[in-house]
Amino acid sequence: GVYTTKPLPRGAHIFRRGTGPTVAIPDLMFNNNGSMPSWAQPIFMPHCSNFDIEGAASQCMKSNNNIGSVTNFHPALINAKPTDTDDYRDDMLDRKKDPGIGAFSYHQGENWYATRDVAAGEEIYNDYWERWFFDNQLRNEGGKDIPHRIDYFEAAEAIVSFIDGDASCAKDKTLTQKCLDGFRKQASAALRKRAIQLVLLATADVKTFLGIVGGAKETLKAQSRAAPTHTFLYKDYPSGGEEVMQLAMQIGRLTILPGHDIDWIKANGRCLDNIYPSISTIRQAGQGAFASRPIKAGEPIVPIPTMVQVTYRENLSIYQREYYDDKSGKPQARYEGKDPISQQLLTNYCFGDDESSLLLCPASNANLINHCSTRLKRTEGDCNPDRGPNAILQWGTGFDPETSEWLKLTVEEIDARVKLGRRGLSLEVVATRDIGQDEEIFIDYGSNWEDAWEKHVASWDPPRTEESKPFVPIAEMNLDVGKYILTEEEMSKGNLYPYPDVQVGCFVEGFYHQCQILKRDSASVPDFSTHEIEIKRRRSVYKAMIRKWGRKSHSFDVGYYWPFGSEKSVEVKVSGAEIRFFPGHYGSDQFLPEAFRHHIGVPVGLWPQQWRNRKR
């Protein structure tokens, strides 16, 4: 699990400087003969949805890291939530000049924040969407019998009613077990089975009962002047309000193992925020990893649990699409040719050996770390070949006890476990010399990676585009929405956006929805994005038609909220600050067939001999 060693107030960013790139993996079934690879499991890789990734096609999954991948779930204790979309930076390189275009993800990573006050030493819990997790993923393991969020609310509401009842024995000066036993009997006759389990747990003895009630009151007292902390997180907010919510969380804490103190966590855990993402000092690399604090030689920099274990790298092949209409006239797509035209972008973020089919993809922000070696012919950025890298990759046997066992398995045996939803291999990056704060971290990707990159640079040509059609990066368009926005009338006259198949989103009630700009309004509103004391700049207001997202096939829109009931579309007014451009279907550089693809090489001898199942 993931723990915080410092308190996080409600609304605080859990990773203040961000988490690292999110990588889209579209068309998985299409590129694998209609079946989903064994390693592509939603519990480790969420489905793409809405404006999440590239406006991507069906069967799209995404590899995110840190909070999104390695946190656990508890229906009553969720305390972390990401923003609806992440920052998209496709302006770091020039399409006409830079061979690195499309070789790294332009999605800068999800911004996660605390949905309530989180105490130091507390575990971070992410929302897995319990209907999917309990009722679907765990259906064969009794998932439907595990108390759901609504059961915690029901148990908490019953306890509040018991305490507040006019003739309740709970009001007596001394609460007795006999009193609690009477309530337990009443609850067992009135509540659903899962809620009864929770009431019985909360009323096991007087000390336990007084503890959860007292804990809820203390939290309420501390938050008495604040707005409710959970209404945005839970669409099924309890009718009893914040009192019921806090009591439900106290009951939830009874269902988890006793926590560890901060000193134990620091001594036995691995720090996830030793590095932070920023633009790499190496131009073609995109983002890089930088030290958040000084790190001494020999100290671990970042753990690398590998939630995505691609046992057969051929699953990451991409094939040319051929479009046709079926007998009913419905458009379809199929392979064109037998040989792949490229590899999924995920390949560039995974560790592997040329002689093995196995690729291990980080669930932490270790995938930010770029390449440097003493073999390079010139200094670039902070990578000086006279010094070489400042870190090295090794197995994480010190914090993951299962790794030692899994290193004895064959690729086939690993694949069998992966199909069962198991994961058991972890790496870590360790400093090879003292690293200063804000210094970029590098490891050696190996000579084969270097050779592949040099070959790519030598043969690279810019993507062919029609000179008559201007191209403006999405990131640049979002800097001045008013300059590029097109109304319905303007588009009907043949005006086009300077980006292929661009999508427009309008931010309403906490989420971006699909929208069409109908016309400019005569009104304007202050631009609060400026920090000037006197607001002089103003934003235009637009009339827009927003549409509800329909759930895509094989996707789960976790947390998406449509505030307009059964209406599928509705007209609203939005300011320029609430409009954002997103890349269209297959429009980003990620889909360029000539984009560089190669796994991150590992040190010689790191992969066990029995994993070497393919020819170099």
Side-chain angles (χ1 to χ4, degrees):
V2 177
Y3 294 79
T4 178
T5 58
K6 58 184 179 182
L8 295 170
R10 178 189 54 177
H13 282 283
I14 298 176
F15 283 85
R16 184 172 58 88
R17 295 180 172 182
T19 59
T22 302
V23 184
I25 317 164
D27 299 324
L28 270 173
M29 291 179 68
F30 173 84
N31 287 303
N32 286 279
N33 293 314
S35 62
M36 195 67 80
S38 61
W39 47 268
Q41 298 183 21
I43 192 169
F44 301 114
M45 298 166 56
H47 290 279
C48 307
S49 60
N50 307 345
F51 288 124
D52 211 3
I53 295 286
E54 313 294 312
S58 60
Q59 305 103 36
C60 174
M61 305 185 85
K62 60 179 180 176
S63 172
N64 51 10
N65 48 44
N66 281 2
I67 297 298
S69 293
V70 294
T71 46
N72 289 315
F73 167 70
H74 191 293
L77 299 177
I78 298 168
N79 54 18
K81 185 177 177 67
T83 48
D84 184 34
T85 59
D86 57 9
D87 295 327
Y88 187 79
R89 289 291 309 277
D90 59 346
D91 59 343
M92 289 185 280
L93 297 180
D94 188 324
R95 263 185 154 223
K96 296 181 179 180
K97 299 177 181 179
D98 291 307
I101 61 166
F104 57 86
S105 176
Y106 296 161
H107 293 271
Q108 303 292 284
E110 298 171 330
N111 295 308
W112 288 80
Y113 63 88
T115 60
R116 57 176 171 82
D117 292 344
V118 183
E122 190 173 347
E123 185 168 359
I124 304 297
Y125 292 102
N126 174 20
D127 189 356
Y128 285 15
W129 196 48
E130 61 183 13
R131 283 177 55 197
W132 167 78
F133 185 54
F134 286 161
D135 302 346
N136 186 342
Q137 293 296 107
L138 299 181
R139 63 183 180 276
N140 295 326
E141 302 172 47
K144 289 189 175 182
D145 296 325
I146 299 174
H148 290 38
R149 185 153 53 234
I150 192 172
D151 302 310
Y152 284 91
F153 294 163
E154 186 175 336
E157 288 169 347
I159 290 174
V160 169
S161 297
F162 166 58
I163 294 172
D164 293 342
D166 292 336
S168 174
C169 56
K171 295 180 180 293
D172 295 347
K173 213 168 194 181
T174 302
L175 180 66
T176 65
Q177 186 62 44
K178 181 179 179 181
C179 175
L180 288 181
D181 289 342
F183 168 59
R184 287 158 65 93
K185 186 176 181 180
Q186 293 174 359
S188 296
L191 304 182
R192 288 176 293 189
K193 182 179 179 180
R194 294 184 311 216
I196 293 171
Q197 296 174 26
L198 298 174
V199 169
L200 296 180
L201 180 65
T203 57
D205 54 63
V206 173
K207 182 179 179 181
T208 299
F209 182 78
L210 293 178
I212 64 167
V213 172
K217 287 182 177 178
E218 285 296 316
T219 305
L220 278 171
K221 186 178 180 181
Q223 296 181 343
S224 59
R225 297 184 180 181
T229 60
H230 304 281
T231 51
F232 182 63
L233 179 61
Y234 296 104
K235 293 193 288 291
D236 51 350
Y237 197 75
S239 58
E242 192 66 15
E243 181 182 9
V244 170
M245 177 63 77
Q246 294 298 335
L247 192 53
M249 287 197 295
Q250 291 293 329
I251 298 172
R253 292 189 176 100
L254 294 177
T255 67
I256 60 177
L257 295 171
H260 299 288
D261 60 40
I262 295 173
D263 290 337
W264 187 96
I265 294 172
K266 288 181 176 180
N268 294 275
R270 289 292 188 272
C271 200
L272 285 173
D273 69 348
N274 273 340
I275 59 177
Y276 66 88
S278 188
I279 303 301
S280 175
T281 60
I282 298 176
R283 176 171 174 78
Q284 303 297 330
Q287 286 185 294
F290 294 81
S292 303
R293 54 185 66 89
I295 302 171
K296 293 182 179 179
E299 288 185 345
I301 297 175
V302 58
I304 312 175
T306 57
M307 298 301 185
V308 180
Q309 298 174 354
V310 181
T311 44
Y312 299 103
R313 64 173 69 196
E314 291 75 18
N315 294 149
L316 295 177
S317 296
I318 293 176
Y319 295 86
Q320 182 68 45
R321 303 172 69 89
E322 178 187 18
Y323 295 94
Y324 67 98
D325 291 337
D326 61 19
K327 292 181 179 179
S328 64
K330 187 177 180 181
Q332 301 288 349
R334 62 190 171 199
Y335 284 174
E336 185 178 39
K338 295 182 179 180
D339 297 324
I341 59 171
S342 185
Q343 299 289 313
Q344 295 279 6
L345 177 58
L346 182 66
T347 303
N348 290 9
Y349 289 94
C350 299
F351 298 99
D353 186 292
D354 283 351
E355 296 182 358
S356 174
S357 68
L358 179 67
L359 295 178
L360 299 180
C361 311
S364 67
N365 54 5
N367 60 7
L368 288 164
I369 300 175
N370 289 315
H371 169 72
C372 181
S373 83
T374 56
R375 298 179 300 275
L376 296 173
K377 298 175 183 178
R378 61 187 179 277
T379 296
E380 185 172 1
D382 288 348
C383 172
N384 185 337
D386 291 338
R387 302 189 71 193
N390 51 16
I392 192 171
L393 187 71
Q394 66 182 35
W395 290 112
T397 53
F399 72 92
D400 183 356
E402 283 199 78
T403 293
S404 295
E405 177 196 349
W406 280 56
L407 287 173
K408 301 173 184 176
L409 302 176
T410 64
V411 173
E412 292 76 15
E413 290 170 333
I414 291 173
D415 187 60
R417 295 192 181 194
V418 166
K419 287 178 180 177
L420 296 175
R422 294 188 59 188
R423 298 295 185 272
L425 287 165
S426 293
L427 296 149
E428 64 181 344
V429 174
V430 176
T432 55
R433 62 173 183 263
D434 290 351
I435 298 173
Q437 184 172 337
D438 299 321
E439 183 179 344
E440 186 165 6
I441 311 295
F442 296 104
I443 60 174
D444 186 345
Y445 285 10
S447 59
N448 290 335
W449 184 94
E450 272 184 21
D451 293 343
W453 171 250
E454 292 298 330
K455 182 179 179 181
H456 170 76
V457 172
S459 62
W460 180 79
D461 289 316
R464 280 180 279 180
T465 57
E466 296 181 38
E467 294 297 328
S468 60
K469 292 184 178 180
F471 178 86
V472 178
I474 288 288
E476 185 176 328
M477 292 173 65
N478 281 327
L479 290 176
D480 192 350
V481 168
K483 177 181 177 180
Y484 294 102
I485 200 72
L486 294 174
T487 65
E488 187 177 40
E489 181 181 357
E490 290 166 340
M491 294 193 73
S492 70
K493 294 179 178 179
N495 294 294
L496 299 173
Y497 284 109
Y499 189 95
D501 196 25
V502 70
Q503 298 187 99
V504 182
C506 291
F507 192 75
V508 178
E509 295 286 339
F511 293 90
Y512 279 99
H513 309 275
Q514 309 167 82
C515 75
Q516 181 179 9
I517 305 303
L518 302 178
K519 64 179 182 178
R520 291 175 174 82
D521 198 276
S522 58
S524 63
V525 295
D527 180 7
F528 291 106
S529 65
T530 178
H531 295 290
E532 298 174 8
I533 295 176
E534 183 180 356
I535 305 295
K536 296 179 180 179
R537 294 172 53 190
R538 298 185 70 81
R539 293 268 190 177
S540 298
V541 173
Y542 303 86
K543 288 184 179 179
M545 180 67 71
I546 63 172
R547 298 187 300 278
K548 180 182 180 180
W549 283 107
R551 183 174 298 162
K552 297 179 182 179
S553 175
H554 304 290
S555 74
F556 302 91
D557 297 336
V558 179
Y560 175 67
Y561 175 60
W562 174 255
F564 302 103
S566 60
E567 297 290 335
K568 293 184 178 181
S569 62
V570 66
E571 189 174 312
V572 296
K573 286 188 177 183
V574 291
S575 76
E578 296 163 322
I579 299 173
R580 185 171 163 187
F581 297 110
F582 296 87
H585 300 275
Y586 304 104
S588 83
D589 294 340
Q590 171 176 339
F591 296 98
L592 293 173
E594 60 268 27
F596 177 70
R597 295 290 182 267
H598 198 284
H599 64 267
I600 301 171
V602 298
V604 175
L606 192 68
W607 256 221
Q609 184 62 39
Q610 72 271 18
W611 293 0
R612 301 180 184 277
N613 58 354
R614 67 195 295 261
K615 294 180 180 180
R616 184 179 292 275

